[in-house]
Amino acid sequence: MSMLDKKAAAVDTSAWPTSIRQEFEREAKAPNGCVGHELVSETDTLRVWMLRLAPGERVGFHRHVLDYFWTAVTASRGRQHLMDGTTVEYDYQPGETRHETYGPGEFKVHDLENIGTTEMVFMTVETLNSANPPLPIPAGVRREAVAA
């Protein structure tokens, strides 16, 4: 199943706040390939990311260019600003998993905010042999760099 199969708990098509719009425009000029807070594992074929958000915490806009899947580790509720200009809210359940695939030149840009009352935890696994090359990521997000 993909996100296209997931029903949003809420959809808002009103204009984004100026700060969100400006952040989205900055990401377009400098694509952000960090699809989590910490890259916990990387091989020749996969990148495994961990994302943790406390209630009220937000991760900024990032770009998905690689085929990937995510799994919700905890129950949570999140808000995303999507690149089509909509704002959506979703409820997530532990073990819920969604798969995304991108053809050459295709991508998705979004942010994620924890609007629930519990910690939001996701694992995301990217496939490096996708139709698009991986975006560069800073060394500081790799687990060994975070632990140092």
Side-chain angles (χ1 to χ4, degrees):
M1 294 181 74
S2 75
M3 285 303 289
L4 297 175
D5 304 307
K6 186 168 178 63
K7 182 167 175 43
V11 178
D12 182 358
T13 57
S14 59
W16 294 346
T18 300
S19 61
I20 295 289
R21 184 178 40 78
Q22 289 173 339
E23 181 186 331
F24 178 77
E25 291 167 0
R26 283 192 302 273
E27 193 286 335
K29 294 175 185 168
N32 175 12
C34 294
V35 301
H37 286 116
E38 181 182 16
L39 182 62
V40 297
S41 181
E42 186 173 19
T43 69
D44 292 343
T45 58
L46 298 173
R47 285 181 178 169
V48 181
W49 294 86
M50 175 71 77
L51 174 73
R52 291 181 178 275
L53 294 173
E57 192 174 14
R58 177 180 168 268
V59 63
F61 286 102
H62 54 278
R63 185 172 300 237
H64 294 274
V65 298
L66 301 174
D67 298 344
Y68 74 100
F69 69 89
W70 58 259
T71 298
V73 178
T74 59
S76 58
R77 185 175 180 100
R79 176 182 297 128
Q80 299 180 39
H81 295 91
L82 304 176
M83 63 190 224
D84 67 1
T86 60
T87 303
V88 294
E89 295 178 6
Y90 291 106
D91 293 310
Y92 303 99
Q93 299 305 315
E96 179 180 350
T97 301
R98 301 292 168 160
H99 297 259
E100 304 293 327
T101 303
Y102 300 99
E106 294 180 336
F107 61 91
K108 176 173 74 176
V109 176
H110 71 110
D111 68 348
L112 180 61
E113 179 182 3
N114 181 350
I115 59 171
T117 59
T118 60
E119 182 180 43
M120 175 184 277
V121 181
F122 284 91
M123 295 293 294
T124 300
V125 178
E126 296 180 297
T127 304
L128 293 173
N129 59 354
S130 298
N132 299 299
L135 294 172
I137 56 170
V141 300
R142 288 181 166 81
R143 172 162 275 184
E144 54 274 2
V146 173

